[in-house]
Amino acid sequence: VSIDLTELQGVFFEEANEHRATMETALLALETQPGDRELLNQVFRAAHSIKGGSGTFGFNDLLRFTHALEGLLQLLREGKVSLDATLADLLLRATDVLGLIIVATRRGEPQPDSIDALLAEIQRATPKPAGAAAYEAPKATVVEVDDSEPAERPFRVRFVPGPHLFRQGMDPLLVVRDLVELGEASDVAIDATELPDLDALDPETSYLGWAIELETTRTETEVRDVFAFVEDSSLVEVSSADAPESSPDGTMAASDSERVEVVVKHRSGPVPSAEGDAHAVQRVAKQAPAAERSTVRVDTAKIDKLIDLIGELVIAQSMVTAALDDCGPAGAGARLREAVLAVDRNTRELQDRVMAVRMLPIGSVFNRFPRMVRDLSTSLGKRVNLVIGGEEVELDKGMVEKLADPLTHLVRNAIDHGIETAEERREAGKPEEGTLHIVAVHQGGSVVIEVSDDGRGLALDRIRDKALKLGLLPSGVEPTIEDLHQVIFAPGFSTKDQVSDLSGRGVGMDVVKRNVEALGGAIAFSSEVGKGSRMRIRLPLTMAIIDGLTLRIGEQVFVLPLVEVVESLRPTSSQYQTVLGHGEVVRVRDQAVPLVRLHDVLSVKDAETDPLRALVCIVETRTTPVGLLVDEILGQAQVVVKTLETNYHRIEGVMGATILGDGRVALILDVQAVARRAAASGSSERESLYGAAGRAA
Amino acid sequence: VEPTVLRLEGSVDVRVAKRFRDSARDHANAGGPIVVDCSAVARFDASAVQILLALKARVEAKGEAFVMQSVPERVLTLLELTGAARALGIREAAAGPLSEGGPS
């Protein structure tokens, strides 16, 4: 088996990013739980892990940086340095720079300038006997500062790396080096008794073992920590050389056959617990890597191919079902029908399972917010309590990734525009600390994400004034609250007179809305002056398969996403009205719903043009419900969405295509875009029609 | 007998371990003493060390000499710290410049 270095490095970089994120999360948690040793250990292990990998691949800048960081963290763990706000801030900035270094290293780009300045800061924060030694001089000498320094203790360490350690990107030499650097090694002996003859030697299997006699001031736990990342797959024995041997198995004098037995025993299961309580915490923490190993990293392209194939299978399956139906009750045997039903069930389940592979918890996006909220609120002199909920709610991977930007913008907005300063809040009789909620929940077949704050809310009069000035609202008519809430999604709209550093940059609300709509979702805003604002994003679970309403217009079949359809009806003559100078509406329970003739918008010939003989599907759009005129509703079906961009080219008003059970291709309509297009082709007067219709309600 | 010189370059680690093993085997099969020229080595990892140890064992079993030469200081430090230098029989003198010659 040859090892693909690029692939290994790819895994390393992904893991390095995860470790970096872990560091950040744990550091933030430490601010509220400063005494939590396990959190500190998490930070340390993460730094140590990145350091180990960067050493293996020879990424020297990364190695230098994480080495320095690790030195400082070690002192924190030993209680020689205490974690105050300044140091917490330094460590957080260090994780930022670490992120930059990882990116630069991955891309082979020059390292960020900030690296040296921050290294100097880290070293200043690391008091002397400290990080033991700079990386260039690995032979650490422990400087005895005063008599209160703990005395050196001899340890006997036995380390037999697991056979597959190389394949995990680990180098036992570096582990041994890290161990030896903890103190003075009086003896480091390689045990090569397992090493086969050159002919039989598998170059990717580890055969060596080490026996080390070490004098160090460190504790046994610290000595064991060196093996934190190899312990699961390796044999590690640490014993105090002062103490008598507990069993002959633990000594190097044991015979080879005994030794092998011990190795096998330890490798096949977790290391049996022989430690006291002091070790319990550490063991708990070690469970995680073991669990991680039961996961497999798979290229998303492979999963997508699989999903694509399942999609084809679903289509083929529905064709079989349709063919069977065509045969009539007598045309096919009961056994065949049963078999087809069974295949159908299994296909659906297979589809669900494969789709589940692509699902990621939304927490992977939410994770960034604690840090962001902390930094932003500090820079604005505000106090914000962030409450996150529903991190475990899962969404399609592609959607989770694309949600990051819009959500970030909403959170920024909430802190920048929404939540007031502590003084303002006090004057308003509110608690000084504002609260920002980011919550995800499952609701039916979709996921709803809410970003809400208890800030000042939106001043509607200011929105109206600004919107009128920008020409975003028709003049002369009093806009409804709904209209005003929609205005904030218009391009170029911002209520702050001065464009702030924060939300003034990057995407505006219009882009947020477009991003959400591109994911097949919808966004709604509500606000109450003095009480706060709420953004509500509704998203489908996946974009690959939707529940659709199949309908006929002329000779053509189209699909409407079911989630957008409110109701369908055949209008009576009393419900159908034309509004002079505006267009047609259908009156539904006292609300005037503008009518969009789909056959016009889509240029379909031979369609039913008389609304009283056709059907109206009422769908939700961002401003108001809209009635779509169609000839006939054929039924409901789960359809596999195929993008037109890949196979043809993008068509405005169409979100994709699908193949129906009878083999026909049907276009899936993008309701929002159809409404936009209808509004545009209906000239500006139709735009105001929506407003007029809304008010008529 | 003129020793066979096995010249190593760059990072000798698990990425090149298979090639290194094959080359080490070929050199060992040629018979005679072996000099491993490490002057151009950037680093060894444990996979390289174990191949060197297996090569040393093979050569010495035939009563021939195995010498590692011109190990750069940085590389030597790691080998010394981890006990590999001793196991491979690298002496202080071996860190000196390589004497000319020998097929590679």
Side-chain angles (χ1 to χ4, degrees):
Chain A
V1 187
S2 79
I3 292 184
D4 181 352
L5 179 66
T6 333
E7 203 171 297
L8 273 184
Q9 285 186 349
V11 171
F12 164 73
F13 284 122
E14 274 178 40
E15 287 180 355
N17 276 322
E18 284 165 16
H19 290 311
R20 200 205 67 84
T22 306
M23 286 173 73
E24 190 171 75
T25 311
L27 281 170
L28 287 168
L30 270 172
E31 287 194 320
T32 47
Q33 307 149 57
D36 193 328
R37 226 185 122 65
E38 181 46 31
L39 285 173
L40 202 51
N41 286 342
Q42 278 178 20
V43 182
F44 178 83
R45 276 198 299 271
H48 185 80
S49 215
I50 301 177
K51 177 183 142 182
S54 44
T56 305
F57 290 109
F59 298 139
N60 288 327
D61 292 306
L62 204 49
L63 183 62
R64 199 156 54 98
F65 194 80
T66 43
H67 181 75
L69 199 55
E70 191 193 54
L72 178 55
L73 291 167
Q74 178 60 29
L75 289 180
L76 269 168
R77 291 209 305 172
E78 289 169 2
K80 290 182 180 158
V81 174
S82 59
L83 186 68
D84 56 12
T86 321
L87 189 55
D89 190 59
L90 170 63
L91 289 172
L92 280 172
R93 279 187 290 131
T95 58
D96 290 343
V97 172
L98 187 58
L100 296 178
I101 301 175
I102 293 170
V103 170
T105 307
R106 182 168 207 168
R107 296 183 183 155
E109 287 170 359
Q111 292 297 335
D113 297 333
S114 42
I115 178 171
D116 285 325
L118 209 69
L119 260 179
E121 261 190 84
I122 291 172
Q123 265 142 16
R124 271 199 303 278
T126 313
K128 263 313 144 188
Y135 181 68
E136 284 70 23
K139 250 192 176 166
T141 45
V142 175
V143 183
E144 300 255 347
V145 178
D146 57 51
D147 291 340
S148 66
E149 275 294 295
E152 293 206 334
R153 283 172 62 202
F155 285 101
R156 185 173 292 150
V157 180
R158 190 155 155 248
F159 170 42
V160 183
H164 304 305
L165 214 58
F166 298 156
R167 279 171 225 179
Q168 295 160 19
M170 304 294 295
D171 181 3
L173 286 192
L174 300 179
V175 178
V176 174
R177 182 201 64 195
D178 286 349
L179 175 70
V180 171
E181 283 181 0
L182 291 182
E184 281 295 345
S186 55
D187 188 36
V188 182
I190 289 186
D191 175 4
T193 45
E194 297 294 315
L195 187 66
D197 181 75
L198 199 50
D199 289 320
L201 183 145
D202 172 8
E204 290 172 13
T205 297
S206 176
Y207 300 99
L208 303 179
W210 274 264
I212 299 137
E213 311 248 338
L214 179 74
E215 297 237 324
T216 177
T217 56
R218 307 298 179 98
T219 63
E220 183 174 330
T221 308
E222 286 166 346
V223 171
R224 282 185 179 276
D225 275 355
V226 170
F227 300 98
F229 304 104
V230 296
E231 203 175 50
D232 291 320
S233 52
S234 308
L235 165 69
V236 177
E237 288 172 1
V238 179
S239 55
S240 174
D242 290 339
E245 292 300 334
S246 54
S247 84
D249 287 358
T251 69
M252 288 305 287
S255 75
D256 280 352
S257 59
E258 273 174 328
R259 203 182 73 85
V260 172
E261 207 181 329
V262 173
V263 172
V264 170
K265 202 160 67 193
H266 282 227
R267 278 179 185 171
S268 60
V271 182
S273 150
E275 307 293 325
D277 282 346
H279 214 60
V281 174
Q282 199 194 349
R283 272 207 321 278
V284 171
K286 299 284 162 51
Q287 306 292 322
E292 275 164 23
R293 277 186 305 147
S294 68
T295 66
V296 178
R297 282 175 194 270
V298 182
D299 191 340
T300 42
K302 286 185 189 168
I303 299 175
D304 289 346
K305 180 74 202 158
L306 204 57
I307 287 176
D308 220 37
L309 273 173
I310 300 278
E312 302 288 348
L313 188 63
V314 170
I315 291 165
Q317 171 63 33
S318 46
M319 284 181 185
V320 172
T321 312
L324 204 60
D325 288 344
D326 287 348
C327 293
R335 277 179 62 198
L336 179 59
R337 279 186 190 283
E338 254 172 53
V340 169
L341 265 178
V343 174
D344 190 55
R345 259 197 319 275
N346 290 330
T347 311
R348 300 278 164 194
E349 179 163 357
L350 187 63
Q351 187 181 33
D352 286 348
R353 302 255 161 161
V354 173
M355 293 308 296
V357 173
R358 267 191 68 98
M359 302 298 256
L360 274 186
I362 200 159
S364 56
V365 175
F366 287 0
N367 279 347
R368 69 178 58 196
F369 294 129
R371 174 69 189 279
M372 206 185 98
V373 169
R374 173 193 182 275
D375 288 354
L376 287 189
S377 53
T378 313
S379 78
L380 291 167
K382 296 179 178 179
R383 286 176 52 200
V384 180
N385 173 32
L386 174 67
V387 181
I388 287 179
E391 301 104 306
E392 71 291 341
V393 169
E394 291 191 327
L395 268 179
D396 187 90
K397 177 177 159 46
M399 297 175 79
V400 169
E401 283 160 0
K402 287 181 186 140
L403 263 178
D405 281 350
L407 280 181
T408 302
H409 190 77
L410 295 183
V411 170
R412 275 193 179 149
N413 261 346
I415 298 174
D416 188 25
H417 301 311
I419 293 175
E420 314 89 331
T421 61
E423 295 80 53
E424 286 173 318
R425 291 181 66 89
R426 206 171 39 231
E427 280 164 25
K430 292 176 170 183
E432 287 186 12
E433 188 176 65
T435 303
L436 176 63
H437 280 92
I438 307 174
V439 181
V441 284
H442 269 295
Q443 245 176 42
S446 40
V447 167
V448 173
I449 304 167
E450 264 190 23
V451 178
S452 57
D453 63 68
D454 64 349
R456 58 170 68 91
L458 267 189
L460 293 179
D461 49 341
R462 276 177 69 191
I463 296 178
R464 188 188 51 218
D465 293 350
K466 182 145 185 179
L468 287 172
K469 208 156 72 189
L470 293 171
L472 297 171
L473 284 170
S475 52
V477 239
E478 187 57 23
T480 62
I481 291 176
E482 252 314 290
D483 289 341
L484 292 175
H485 282 169
Q486 286 305 328
V487 157
I488 66 158
F489 294 112
F493 187 84
S494 166
T495 51
K496 275 239 158 175
D497 301 323
Q498 267 183 326
V499 174
S500 134
D501 239 11
L502 299 169
S503 308
R505 285 200 300 227
V507 290
M509 286 309 298
D510 56 323
V511 181
V512 169
K513 184 175 168 63
R514 261 213 311 280
N515 284 347
V516 170
E517 283 175 359
L519 294 173
I523 184 165
F525 170 77
S526 58
S527 176
E528 205 175 325
V529 178
K531 294 252 177 82
S533 304
R534 187 177 72 177
M535 285 285 175
R536 209 177 148 89
I537 297 176
R538 180 179 287 275
L539 292 164
L541 287 175
T542 172
M543 296 170 69
I545 295 173
I546 58 164
D547 279 316
L549 194 67
T550 49
L551 40 94
R552 184 178 62 80
I553 305 171
E555 289 306 306
Q556 292 191 37
V557 179
F558 294 90
V559 176
L560 271 182
L562 197 59
V563 65
E564 317 225 33
V565 180
V566 183
E567 60 180 310
S568 305
L569 54 98
R570 169 160 291 158
T572 59
S573 54
S574 61
Q575 281 178 306
Y576 174 75
Q577 296 173 353
T578 49
V579 179
L580 190 65
H582 287 313
E584 306 162 286
V585 296
V586 181
R587 223 163 232 294
V588 183
R589 289 182 290 277
D590 286 340
Q591 182 173 14
V593 177
L595 196 64
V596 173
R597 289 175 175 264
L598 269 186
H599 57 89
D600 278 350
V601 178
L602 301 165
S603 313
V604 180
K605 293 195 177 74
D606 306 325
E608 180 59 64
T609 53
D610 180 359
L612 303 184
R613 289 201 297 194
L615 284 173
V616 175
C617 284
I618 302 194
V619 294
E620 283 291 351
T621 75
R622 62 170 204 197
T623 39
T624 167
V626 167
L628 303 177
L629 197 65
V630 305
D631 290 12
E632 188 186 355
I633 290 172
L634 301 173
Q636 281 182 28
Q638 241 193 4
V639 297
V640 181
V641 182
K642 303 265 178 191
T643 62
L644 283 178
E645 282 95 329
T646 324
N647 303 312
Y648 183 52
H649 64 75
R650 201 182 142 67
I651 301 173
E652 177 70 13
V654 173
M655 65 180 274
T658 190
I659 303 169
L660 298 172
D662 58 6
R664 278 199 289 177
V665 173
L667 296 179
I668 304 167
L669 299 180
D670 176 345
V671 168
Q672 308 300 327
V674 165
R676 270 201 305 272
R677 203 166 133 178
S681 66
S683 81
S684 57
E685 65 181 348
R686 196 187 291 260
E687 269 232 310
S688 55
L689 160 74
Y690 292 161
R695 281 186 298 280
Chain B
V1 186
E2 189 75 1
T4 311
V5 176
L6 175 58
R7 197 179 139 74
L8 301 175
E9 265 184 31
S11 286
V12 188
D13 56 23
V14 70
R15 291 173 284 169
V16 295
K18 190 174 177 302
R19 248 166 52 214
F20 180 30
R21 195 261 330 258
D22 294 347
S23 158
R25 200 167 46 195
D26 294 346
H27 280 72
N29 290 341
I34 285 191
V35 169
V36 183
D37 174 7
C38 304
S39 55
V41 169
R43 68 179 267 268
F44 285 125
D45 74 352
S47 75
V49 167
Q50 65 184 24
I51 292 170
L52 287 166
L53 285 171
L55 175 63
K56 179 173 186 281
R58 169 81 73 91
V59 173
E60 290 179 348
K62 291 182 185 165
E64 300 286 357
F66 170 89
V67 180
M68 284 183 61
Q69 248 181 0
S70 307
V71 186
E73 192 58 43
R74 223 175 80 91
V75 178
L76 187 61
T77 307
L78 182 64
L79 295 183
E80 281 175 341
L81 276 175
T82 57
R86 193 173 71 185
L88 287 165
I90 307 174
R91 278 176 287 274
E92 294 296 314
L98 174 74
S99 52
E100 276 304 304
S104 67

